[in-house]
């Protein structure tokens, strides 16, 4: 089966729309959310190909296939992350500057800055006294590196 478009997202559906459909899941890493072309396997061992026509990222809960009885959805695996919780603009500026110098991609959810776990960043946060939590969390979208050329001098 080749999937060329996203049908919808299960998180935007109510219980009556889902109905009695059997739900099969494709478990992928958050880094794979940005891949338009990939081979995947469902939790029922069904091989599938994804070749999206539109340049869009996958998201947790995206529906790859749906008929009256079945649904195949994306289920993103959790990531080992640091959820940084700066208390003020100064702490935010300090950690944003440090992470930017390391070219670390970050995401923002609520009042938290999320980065992939790195022991050096964990040590830096401890040294600077900036509050954080290390946890496994399902991300809504993939970390993305900034593209484009730049220099440090």
């Amino acid at each position: 089966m080749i999937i060329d478009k996203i049908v919808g997202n299960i998180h935007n559906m109510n219980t009556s729309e889902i109905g009695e459909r059997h739900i099969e899941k494709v478990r992928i890493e958050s880094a794979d959310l940005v891949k338009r072309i990939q081979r995947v396997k469902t939790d029922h061992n069904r091989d599938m190909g994804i070749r999206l026509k539109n340049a869009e990222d996958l998201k947790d809960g995206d529906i790859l296939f749906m008929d009256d009885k079945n649904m195949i959805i994306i289920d993103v695996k959790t990531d080992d992350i640091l959820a940084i919780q700066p208390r003020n603009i100064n702490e935010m500026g300090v950690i944003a500057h440090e992470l930017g110098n390391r070219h670390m991609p970050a995401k923002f959810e609520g009042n938290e800055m999320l980065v992939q776990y790195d022991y050096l960043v964990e040590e830096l946060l401890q040294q600077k006294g900036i509050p954080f939590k290390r946890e496994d969390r399902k991300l809504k979208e993939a970390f993305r590196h900034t593209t484009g050329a730049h220099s440090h001098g």
Side-chain angles (χ1 to χ4, degrees), residues 103-105 144-150:
H103 298 259
M104 283 196 82
R144 219 181 240 296
H145 284 279
T146 304
T147 56
H150 72 280

Side-chain angles (χ1 to χ4, degrees), residues 10 18 21-25 43-44 70-73:
I10 198 166
I18 297 169
R21 288 184 175 96
H22 173 262
I23 298 176
E24 220 170 314
K25 296 179 179 179
D43 59 353
H44 288 61
N70 298 294
M71 186 182 295
I72 301 174
I73 67 169

Side-chain angles (χ1 to χ4, degrees), residues 3-145:
I3 303 300
D4 62 1
K5 67 179 184 224
I6 304 303
V7 178
N9 191 292
I10 198 166
H11 301 303
N12 299 331
M13 298 173 74
N14 60 44
T15 310
S16 65
E17 291 174 307
I18 297 169
E20 299 292 318
R21 288 184 175 96
H22 173 262
I23 298 176
E24 220 170 314
K25 296 179 179 179
V26 172
R27 296 204 18 95
I28 63 173
E29 304 282 339
S30 65
D32 293 333
L33 292 171
V34 298
K35 295 180 182 176
R36 282 186 41 230
I37 300 172
Q38 56 185 307
R39 285 187 71 101
V40 295
K41 193 174 282 223
T42 70
D43 59 353
H44 288 61
N45 217 25
R46 181 192 319 225
D47 285 316
M48 299 177 66
I50 298 174
R51 184 183 304 143
L52 299 178
K53 289 180 183 175
N54 298 327
E56 61 182 311
D57 291 349
L58 294 168
K59 293 180 255 358
D60 184 61
D62 275 350
I63 303 167
L64 302 177
F65 171 82
M66 182 169 66
D67 63 17
D68 293 339
K69 297 180 182 183
N70 298 294
M71 186 182 295
I72 301 174
I73 67 169
I74 295 290
D75 183 31
V76 180
K77 296 177 183 177
T78 60
D79 281 281
D80 187 10
I81 61 140
L82 294 171
I84 305 166
Q85 301 139 345
R87 293 173 289 235
N88 54 50
I89 193 71
N90 182 58
E91 285 183 350
M92 183 61 177
V94 166
I95 197 59
H97 177 75
E98 292 280 352
L99 296 175
N101 280 340
R102 296 166 194 239
H103 298 259
M104 283 196 82
K107 305 191 70 39
F108 298 88
E109 289 184 6
N111 291 328
E112 294 181 319
M113 176 187 231
L114 309 178
V115 297
Q116 291 172 314
Y117 176 76
D118 181 290
Y119 75 95
L120 293 173
V121 173
E122 183 178 40
E123 287 176 4
L124 175 69
L125 291 164
Q126 290 168 342
Q127 288 170 0
K128 302 274 185 195
I130 298 174
F132 72 94
K133 294 183 291 189
R134 180 180 179 184
E135 58 189 31
D136 283 326
R137 187 183 292 187
K138 185 182 286 202
L139 299 176
K140 294 176 182 143
E141 48 191 54
F143 284 106
R144 219 181 240 296
H145 284 279

